[in-house]
Amino acid sequence: MRGARIKGLAGSYYHCVTRVVDKNRIFGDAEKETIRRMLRRVADFSGIEVLTYAIMSNHLHLLIRVPEAVEIDDAELVRRLRLLYGRIPAHHIAQSLKTLREAGDAKAAEALRGKYLYRMCELSQFMKTLKQRISMWYNGTHNRQGTLWEDRFKSVIVEGSRHALGLIAAYIDLNAVRAGLASDPGSYRFCGYGEALGGSATARAGLAQVMQSLEGHASNWRSVSAGYRKFLAMTGVEKGLQANGQPTKAGMPAETVREVLARNGKLSQTELLHCRVRYFSDGVVLGSKAFVDGVFERYRDRFTPKRQDGGRKLRWGEWGNLCALRELRVNVISVSGDG
């Protein structure tokens, strides 16, 4: 039996990853665009804030914030229901609520609202709704049956700091560069950065949250864009972007990474972000030692009495003060061709 997921407090950030069964590369540009629109609608319905994302041919990366649940009135509930179910079903629910209110049956009205409200501002319900809607659409469109996703999604609680939140955001937006689909993350329209450069106010608001962790204050889009571009350039300098923000054709050979790992050396932050990093998907919690220890204490009963603290230093790279809750030893860092 799988254990219950470790979650943060209200307002926590998460990096979520979900993969297609058998890792089949089934999402082309048309599918990715539909998934992008679904992601936005489900996030709006759920009250989830999407900071950035990457939609790849066989998996999704999401950096999200799950805020504390707030009370919403019937009108707002119906607006959100319309996003998922369409105008007519949402109208029927609105009429049912109105009838119950007019009859003075507040208990029944709240019971009806509760069928939908429990899915809002909740990590697992958000991912479940998103995956189910993608599955229903994809299977129906492609005359397919059966499960679309392998196992359950992975999630890592991310500290809202420069070292953690900013690094994860860059890692996600550089997915297409790592996969060889783009030389510049801004040219890949199925990621948060690419969508933001395309003019999406929602995508720009997500990156503004990331920049708050990097800069310490909110900014207009021009300064957000310049700051995030600079951060991507610093973290992506060896493949895709030069330090001046211009694209480069030169990539980092996989042999370089393997050679460093073979001699138990450390990769630079730039090199790390052009590798597959399991800490970002399997580390459970990512942040400073104090942050990881705090989550560990809340879930103390999940661990053996011998374990005294939560934070485990990240290996194989120049990570600064970053720690993870789970200590990984096998295939922690890998590159294309490593399987």
Side-chain angles (χ1 to χ4, degrees), residues 105-144:
D105 196 345
K107 184 176 180 180
E110 289 307 310
L112 177 57
R113 283 164 50 88
K115 292 181 179 180
Y116 307 101
L117 292 176
Y118 81 96
R119 296 163 60 187
M120 300 178 185
C121 295
E122 209 288 319
L123 173 66
S124 296
Q125 290 299 322
F126 164 69
M127 291 298 296
K128 178 181 179 181
T129 300
L130 178 63
K131 292 171 66 175
Q132 283 182 341
R133 295 197 72 79
I134 295 173
S135 295
M136 292 170 59
W137 161 77
Y138 187 87
N139 284 355
T141 302
H142 294 80
N143 193 28
R144 180 185 181 278

Side-chain angles (χ1 to χ4, degrees), residues 9 18 21 27 47 70 76 98 136 155 223 289 307 324:
L9 301 174
T18 186
V21 67
F27 299 144
V70 296
E76 173 62 10
K98 181 180 179 182
M136 292 170 59
S155 66
S223 58
K289 189 174 190 311
R307 183 159 178 177

Side-chain angles (χ1 to χ4, degrees), residues 147-199:
T147 183
L148 183 67
W149 307 101
E150 67 171 22
D151 203 12
R152 62 177 179 172
F153 72 94
K154 295 181 179 181
S155 66
V156 174
I157 304 170
V158 183
E159 184 177 19
S161 65
R162 177 187 176 92
H163 274 93
L165 197 65
L167 202 63
I168 291 290
Y171 180 76
I172 291 173
D173 279 320
L174 287 166
N175 253 262
V177 177
R178 285 197 302 275
L181 300 177
S183 61
D184 185 316
S187 66
Y188 187 69
R189 72 177 192 266
F190 308 113
C191 69
Y193 183 54
E195 185 184 359
L197 291 183

